[in-house]
Amino acid sequence: MFKRYFFTGLLVLVPLAITIWVITSLIRFLDQTLIWLPYDYQPKNLFGFDIPGIGVLLTVAVILGIGLLASNLFGRQFLKLWELLLSRLPFVNSIYSSIKQVSDTLFSESGRAFNKAVLIPYPNRDTRTIAFLTGEPSPDISKHLKGKHVSVYVPTTPNPTSGFFLMVAKKDIVELDISVDQALKYVISMGVVPPSKKTKKIINNLSKRL
């Protein structure tokens, strides 16, 4: 009886504690942006004590302000001049252009990154893992590949922000009928949080064919 109550308590407290820890860590990290304020206007010096969360509000305000500025005609012209300046800096240009292309794909409304969860053979032909479609190989690379290939991102467990970029033969992938969020939960939980029944059926049918 004691053991059952103990583990029931853990099931309630562990997710709550981790959620609080993540949110608290994020707030503390964003509060560090306050160092950019003039010394006399920092909350600790202005009110005599720290106010948790002010950095979050400041960060959100700055992002919204930049977004508003970049949405009007003057802002767009300024961004063009800024990007033109960066394009003339040899080392900086290669870094900035690569990061901008990735961010445009991930955050733009028309971006198609991670729009589909798939099943691929990895790390060998006899095992399978979940991956996310990111596009197709460029023509310069495709000409060295046999058959149609797609580009995928394979997230690691339990941290999906690190992973592997692979080019896989299109005939070897199986599209999963689940959302990207469901697939991420499945990966992060190390298989504890199962996908939908429909996806399980697809996986089982695939296993039978192998």
Side-chain angles (χ1 to χ4, degrees):
M1 185 70 69
F2 174 80
K3 183 178 180 181
R4 180 163 63 89
Y5 288 155
F6 180 79
F7 282 104
T8 300
L10 283 180
L11 290 174
V12 174
L13 290 177
V14 169
L16 179 62
I18 293 177
T19 301
I20 293 175
W21 176 75
V22 170
I23 294 175
T24 303
S25 299
L26 180 61
I27 291 175
R28 288 176 179 172
F29 174 76
L30 292 178
D31 277 347
Q32 295 178 9
T33 58
L34 295 174
I35 63 175
W36 296 101
L37 290 175
Y39 181 80
D40 292 336
Y41 290 95
Q42 294 180 12
K44 187 173 183 180
N45 301 314
L46 195 62
F47 302 106
F49 55 89
D50 288 321
I51 304 178
I54 294 295
V56 178
L57 297 178
L58 177 62
T59 303
V60 171
V62 170
I63 293 174
L64 289 175
I66 293 175
L68 180 63
L69 177 64
S71 298
N72 58 48
L73 181 61
F74 172 77
R76 288 194 294 268
Q77 293 299 323
F78 176 78
L79 285 177
K80 287 181 181 179
L81 292 175
W82 175 252
E83 291 179 356
L84 180 62
L85 173 63
L86 292 178
S87 67
R88 298 181 181 278
L89 302 177
F91 182 71
V92 175
N93 176 44
S94 60
I95 298 175
Y96 177 78
S97 61
S98 299
I99 295 176
K100 190 175 187 306
Q101 288 178 357
V102 173
S103 64
D104 287 346
T105 302
L106 290 176
F107 301 118
S108 67
E109 294 180 358
S110 59
R112 299 182 57 193
F114 302 161
N115 64 341
K116 196 70 179 177
V118 296
L119 203 64
I120 67 168
Y122 182 83
N124 55 60
R125 302 294 303 180
D126 298 324
T127 58
R128 297 291 181 272
T129 191
I130 289 178
F132 301 102
L133 286 177
T134 60
E136 297 181 354
S138 66
D140 291 337
I141 296 177
S142 295
K143 65 183 181 182
H144 299 291
L145 303 173
K146 293 182 179 180
K148 186 74 173 178
H149 281 65
V150 294
S151 301
V152 299
Y153 173 73
V154 180
T156 55
T157 301
N159 177 18
T161 59
S162 64
F164 305 94
F165 165 66
L166 303 174
M167 284 169 279
V168 184
K170 193 170 183 178
K171 63 181 179 62
D172 291 333
I173 73 167
V174 176
E175 293 189 5
L176 301 177
D177 191 17
I178 57 174
S179 66
V180 172
D181 289 340
Q182 287 178 310
L184 277 174
K185 288 179 183 178
Y186 193 47
V187 171
I188 294 172
S189 68
M190 296 174 285
V192 175
V193 179
S196 65
K197 293 181 180 179
K198 192 172 184 180
T199 306
K200 286 183 179 179
K201 186 176 180 180
I202 294 175
I203 296 175
N204 290 335
N205 290 338
L206 175 64
S207 300
K208 290 177 182 178
R209 298 203 311 261
L210 298 176

